[in-house]
């Protein structure tokens, strides 16, 4: 059986960093660029290796790890790259997920798979032994459950080479980078959803100058909440009876409740009298108590956490073409966002698929790294894209029909809330804003 070798496109992955000689404490994360190199051997089995590329684009890629042939769920890291074997092991889940996506790409599948036997062996080497390969051959033409429905003809899932405005710019200029991602649904694991791999391969990129007026606003939902005395006492008894180890019998819990009632005998009489009297005449107990005794039931008012919130972001870009080539790029950029945010019809049109999503970064071009002095983003959905074709108030096209200026407003919202652990915990506070 002939051998074959295929290497996937590059993806960026965040890996944990350790600090100190002992490498015992984490100090945040760093990005590395990796591909999966897969070799079909003479015996029909597959060898899966991960290779790393220099972040500055120079030099050769090196092998940093290999899937264990005996246990494809495990990687053997050699530490030859910019991250140590321990750091790669700490980030193995993210690296493994990226590798699976790379091998499952149509490019890799077309280069490596010739028949069902190849597909079965490749799935096993990719730690996906139970993945469905081909539709059933029993005359059933329905789509296999593990295979998503095909999208309608004309759906774009690859937006080509990166687009930049302005076309000619200072290489040291800071930019905002938009990577479009194919939406990835979450999987349920026990009592939680698995984390989405936000470092998966981009299907299109646009870079623009950082606009003015950028900001962020982190928020949590808190709300007033009350609980009356009787509710509070009953809840306390119920909680004692429902202890996980059953250490508090029902009789003891009810005995404690009775003891509280006896201890506060006078106050309880006033409370019960007030509630019964108010019920008899259809009045509010607090209103009656306030009128007759000059007091109300203690509402135990407290501000309580109600849940997280999702951050919105709005950007406004004014783009004025200085040449016909730049006018073409601007129209492509506008189409990039409009088409990328549009819902996707599946082939039968029975369902609509989720639009593509976006990974956003403020990038300092001098170092090719995400800015530490501006906020970071989680994966975002594009909620609206509005374009003003005459921002100067006059219709003034060039000779070829291109507008003399365009103003594009983009409104994004993060797919997930920001949590405490997203910032990391080890060591002193780093000199960066984070999320």
């Amino acid at each position: 059986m002939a051998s074959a070798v295929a290497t996937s496109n590059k993806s960026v992955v965040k890996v944990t960093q350790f600090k100190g000689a002992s490498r015992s404490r984490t100090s945040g994360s760093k990005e590395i660029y990796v591909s999966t190199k897969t070799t079909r051997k003479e015996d029909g089995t597959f060898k899966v290796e991960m290779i790393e590329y220099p972040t500055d684009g120079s030099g050769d890629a090196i092998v940093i790890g290999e899937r264990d042939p005996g246990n494809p769920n495990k990687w053997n890291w050699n530490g030859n790259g910019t991250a140590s074997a321990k750091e790669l092991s700490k980030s193995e889940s993210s690296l493994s997920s990226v590798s699976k996506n790379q091998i499952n790409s149509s490019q890799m599948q077309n280069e490596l798979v010739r028949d069902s036997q190849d597909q079965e062996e490749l799935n096993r080497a990719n730690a996906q032994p139970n993945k469905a390969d081909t539709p059933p051959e029993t005359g059933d033409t329905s789509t296999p459950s593990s295979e998503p429905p095909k999208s309608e003809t004309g759906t774009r899932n690859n937006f080509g080479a990166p687009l930049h405005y302005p076309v000619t710019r200072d290489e040291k200029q800071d930019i905002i980078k938009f990577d479009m991602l194919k939406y990835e649904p979450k999987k349920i694991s026990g009592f939680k959803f698995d984390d989405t791999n936000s470092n998966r391969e981009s299907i299109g990129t646009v870079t623009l100058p950082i606009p003015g007026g950028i900001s962020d606003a982190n928020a949590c939902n808190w709300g007033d909440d009350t609980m009356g005395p009787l509710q509070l006492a009953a809840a306390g008894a119920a909680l004692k009876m429902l202890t996980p180890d059953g250490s508090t019998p029902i009789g003891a819990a009810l005995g404690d409740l009775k003891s509280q009632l006896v201890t506060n005998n006078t106050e309880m009489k006033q409370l019960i009298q007030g509630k019964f009297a108010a019920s008899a005449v259809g009045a509010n107990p607090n209103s009656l108590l306030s009128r007759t005794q000059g007091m109300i039931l203690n509402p135990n008012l407290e501000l309580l956490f109600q849940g997280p919130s999702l951050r919105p972001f709005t950007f406004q870009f004014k783009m004025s073409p200085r040449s016909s080539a730049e006018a073409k790029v601007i129209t492509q950029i506008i189409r990039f966002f409009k088409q990328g945010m549009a819902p996707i019809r599946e082939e039968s049109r029975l369902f609509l698929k989720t639009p593509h999503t976006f990974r956003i970064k403020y990038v300092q071009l001098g170092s090719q790294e995400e800015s530490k002095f501006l906020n970071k983003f989680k994966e975002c959905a594009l909620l609206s894209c509005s374009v003003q074709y005459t921002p100067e108030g006059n219709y003034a096209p060039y000779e070829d029909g291109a507008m003399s200026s365009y103003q594009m407003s983009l409104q994004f919202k993060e797919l997930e809330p920001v949590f405490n652990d997203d910032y990391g915990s080890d060591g002193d506070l780093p000199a960066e804003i984070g999320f």
Side-chain angles (χ1 to χ4, degrees):
M1 184 175 288
S3 60
V5 179
T7 302
S8 72
N9 293 326
K10 288 187 288 187
S11 297
V12 60
V13 185
K14 284 186 177 179
V15 298
T16 301
Q17 278 186 298
F18 289 100
K19 66 179 181 179
S22 63
R23 301 261 178 186
S24 60
R25 291 195 300 169
T26 60
S27 61
S29 61
K30 64 179 176 182
E31 291 183 343
I32 63 173
Y33 292 85
V34 298
S35 290
T36 301
K37 177 182 177 182
T38 307
T39 305
R40 186 180 64 229
K41 299 187 288 188
E42 294 290 342
D43 62 0
T45 60
F46 288 86
K47 177 182 179 180
V48 178
E49 298 172 296
M50 186 169 290
I51 56 180
E52 181 186 351
Y53 298 83
T55 54
D56 61 2
S58 62
D60 298 325
I62 56 174
V63 176
I64 59 173
E66 178 185 351
R67 277 196 185 273
D68 191 319
N71 179 14
N73 287 306
K74 183 179 180 302
W75 285 81
N76 297 320
W77 306 107
N78 56 35
N80 290 337
T82 57
S84 67
K86 184 177 179 181
E87 289 172 331
L88 294 172
S89 296
K90 186 80 172 177
S91 309
E92 185 163 303
S93 177
S94 297
L95 291 162
S96 184
S97 178
V98 166
S99 178
K100 285 181 181 179
N101 290 336
Q102 290 175 338
I103 290 181
N104 289 334
S105 68
S106 56
Q107 171 230 331
M108 294 283 279
Q109 296 286 318
N110 291 337
E111 291 186 44
L112 295 170
V113 177
R114 301 167 301 176
D115 51 35
S116 59
Q117 183 179 348
D118 279 351
Q119 186 70 72
E120 184 178 347
E121 288 294 338
L122 182 58
N123 290 346
R124 183 179 293 110
N126 198 26
Q128 295 176 300
N130 298 319
K131 182 185 174 192
D133 305 324
T134 55
E137 300 177 358
T138 58
D140 179 6
T141 58
S142 61
T143 304
S145 59
S146 62
E147 209 174 285
K150 292 183 179 179
S151 300
E152 182 64 278
T153 303
T155 299
R156 185 181 292 277
N157 288 312
N158 189 331
F159 286 75
L163 299 169
H164 310 287
Y165 174 83
V167 173
T168 57
R169 66 165 182 243
D170 184 349
E171 291 184 358
K172 294 183 179 180
Q173 180 183 0
D174 290 356
I175 59 168
I176 183 169
K177 181 180 180 183
F178 299 91
D179 283 313
M180 191 185 297
L181 307 173
K182 191 172 182 180
Y183 179 76
E184 186 176 274
K186 288 191 171 185
K187 297 178 181 179
I188 298 175
S189 177
F191 293 102
K192 65 177 183 178
F193 287 103
D194 287 342
D195 291 335
T196 301
N197 174 26
S198 59
N199 294 318
R200 59 194 185 276
E201 187 176 357
S202 168
I203 59 175
T205 300
V206 163
T207 63
L208 296 165
I210 296 179
I214 57 174
S215 64
D216 69 348
N218 290 36
C220 277
N221 294 322
W222 292 73
D224 296 353
D225 192 79
T226 61
M227 182 172 284
L230 289 179
Q231 289 176 300
L232 194 59
L239 287 171
K240 287 181 180 179
M241 289 187 285
L242 296 175
T243 51
D245 58 359
S247 58
T248 305
I250 294 177
L254 294 177
D256 288 344
L257 178 58
K258 179 182 177 182
S259 175
Q260 292 181 49
L261 296 177
V262 172
T263 302
N264 300 284
N265 186 37
T266 303
E267 291 80 0
M268 290 308 301
K269 281 183 179 180
Q270 291 176 322
L271 171 58
I272 293 169
Q273 287 173 352
K275 289 188 72 69
F276 273 108
S279 298
V281 297
N284 185 306
N286 271 338
S287 177
L288 183 60
L289 287 170
S290 183
R291 288 174 183 271
T292 60
Q293 301 183 40
M295 60 184 181
I296 63 170
L297 294 173
N298 182 359
N300 294 298
L301 176 64
E302 191 175 350
L303 185 68
L304 298 179
F305 173 63
Q306 303 290 335
S309 62
L310 300 171
R311 298 188 300 177
F313 295 95
T314 301
F315 304 100
Q316 192 168 87
F317 302 95
K318 190 173 183 180
M319 298 176 286
S320 302
R322 297 165 296 175
S323 65
S324 58
E326 196 162 69
K328 178 182 177 181
V329 169
I330 290 173
T331 58
Q332 289 175 324
I333 288 173
I334 294 172
R335 184 183 178 119
F336 171 90
F337 288 108
K338 284 192 169 188
Q339 188 171 11
M341 69 173 290
I344 300 169
R345 294 188 292 193
E346 57 93 19
E347 203 170 32
S348 72
R349 300 196 180 184
L350 182 62
F351 298 100
L352 291 178
K353 296 182 180 180
T354 304
H356 300 314
T357 55
F358 295 84
R359 181 174 59 227
I360 308 173
K361 292 181 180 180
Y362 295 118
V363 180
Q364 293 181 310
L365 279 183
S367 61
Q368 293 291 337
E369 292 182 358
E370 195 168 3
S371 174
K372 296 180 180 180
F373 304 99
L374 294 169
N375 66 283
K376 295 183 179 181
F377 302 86
K378 289 201 165 186
E379 190 173 332
C380 293
L382 178 53
L383 303 185
S384 71
C385 172
S386 58
V387 181
Q388 173 59 260
Y389 298 97
T390 56
E392 310 298 343
N394 297 308
Y395 177 70
Y398 288 114
E399 292 180 356
D400 60 359
M403 297 296 104
S404 57
S405 192
Y406 298 83
Q407 186 165 290
M408 178 176 65
S409 297
L410 304 174
Q411 184 182 356
F412 292 92
K413 200 167 193 177
E414 288 178 322
L415 300 185
E416 296 179 350
V418 175
F419 297 102
N420 183 300
D421 58 275
D422 289 321
Y423 292 88
S425 62
D426 292 338
D428 298 328
L429 282 174
E432 65 177 41
I433 291 175
F435 292 97

